[in-house]
Amino acid sequence: MRLVLLGAPGSGKGTQAARLREHLQVPHISTGDLLRAAVRAGTPLGLQAKAVMESGGLVSDEIVLGMLEERLTAGDTGNGFILDGYPRNLAQANALDTLLARLHQPVDVAVQLDVDTELLIGRLAGRAQVEGRADDTPEAVRNRLKIYDEATAPVVEFYRQSGRLVHLDGVGTMDEVFQRIVEALAPTPDVG
Ligand code: B4P
């Protein structure tokens, strides 16, 4: 299965993708993780991305697409993948469809996790205390949520219009949300 996870920062994309990887036995590809690894490794790409990420902004479409193409052609996505954190704007959504058409691996389904803003802020503040991620500061979080509303929310419509969207309530325990996703992805039994 080729799955895209959509949702605001803190909606549980990374959390659920890690569980879905075990369940579906396909790789979890997080553009956030790929970018953070490039920053840690101090590659030229990482150096370019670092300040943008810390402010909560989006890294340039060109950089992220190049990095994603490299990852999607690594040879382990024959049975599918879970894409987490991409696409984040309409240009990325179109670029992804073009890239995957070329690779003969179109997206089957996009799962959107819906969580209200107050809860998102609370979750990210919790992670800031535990992990100290540079982009979980209150200012960067505000910026990330604003960018989500302006740039990423239209991506949900993009998948809805092409009949590939599953919209789910992302509020509840991690187990409850996981169960909801698994049920939504299960094939519908034949009736009659
Ligand atoms: P990401 O790594 O994608 O960060 P994120 O949106 O915060 O999501 P994440 O998956 O980490 O968190 P989750 O909701 O699971 O991106 C980071 C940055 O990288 C971006 O700001 C941008 O600069 C750059 N970037 C990445 N992709 C890009 C792209 N395509 N284009 C341009 N730039 C890009 O979890 C958050 C917290 O909530 C956790 O602490 C978790 O424990 C908690 N949580 C999750 N589910 C919960 C539940 N059910 N109940 C309670 N808490 C829960």
Side-chain angles (χ1 to χ4, degrees):
M1 174 174 289
R2 292 176 295 270
L3 174 84
V4 166
L5 274 178
L6 300 172
S11 59
K13 300 181 303 288
T15 306
Q16 297 300 333
R19 292 165 176 232
L20 284 167
R21 174 184 50 202
E22 299 304 315
H23 180 74
L24 298 171
Q25 291 291 305
V26 296
H28 165 203
I29 301 176
S30 155
T31 47
D33 287 349
L34 291 173
L35 286 166
R36 280 185 288 276
V39 170
R40 272 195 306 275
T43 63
L45 184 155
L47 293 176
Q48 261 181 285
K50 187 170 188 284
V52 179
M53 291 177 76
E54 284 179 2
S55 73
L58 291 183
V59 177
S60 89
D61 290 348
E62 201 186 351
I63 289 184
V64 186
L65 181 64
M67 201 182 64
L68 183 65
E69 177 162 6
E70 196 177 309
R71 179 64 190 85
L72 283 170
T73 49
D76 61 347
T77 56
N79 289 328
F81 52 78
I82 300 153
L83 196 47
D84 155 20
Y86 194 99
R88 265 181 149 91
N89 58 36
L90 281 177
Q92 292 188 4
N94 282 303
L96 181 66
D97 269 4
T98 304
L99 170 63
L100 293 177
R102 184 151 50 83
L103 300 177
H104 305 290
Q105 296 187 340
V107 168
D108 296 310
V109 63
V111 173
Q112 180 205 3
L113 297 176
D114 197 10
V115 176
D116 73 50
T117 308
E118 288 307 306
L119 209 51
L120 295 172
I121 291 171
R123 286 183 185 180
L124 293 171
R127 183 168 69 183
Q129 285 185 340
V130 177
E131 294 181 17
R133 226 171 85 170
D135 61 347
D136 281 341
T137 59
E139 198 185 332
V141 165
R142 262 198 307 278
N143 197 21
R144 286 159 65 199
L145 291 171
K146 181 166 173 279
I147 290 176
Y148 179 79
D149 282 341
E150 290 171 3
T152 314
V155 173
V156 171
E157 210 42 49
F158 175 90
Y159 286 105
R160 195 194 313 275
Q161 278 174 14
S162 56
R164 293 177 287 177
L165 184 75
V166 171
H167 173 265
L168 293 177
D169 181 5
V171 180
T173 65
M174 295 178 195
D175 286 345
E176 284 166 349
V177 176
F178 178 65
Q179 208 45 48
R180 254 172 241 154
I181 301 174
V182 169
E183 279 168 21
L185 295 179
T188 324
D190 286 337
V191 180

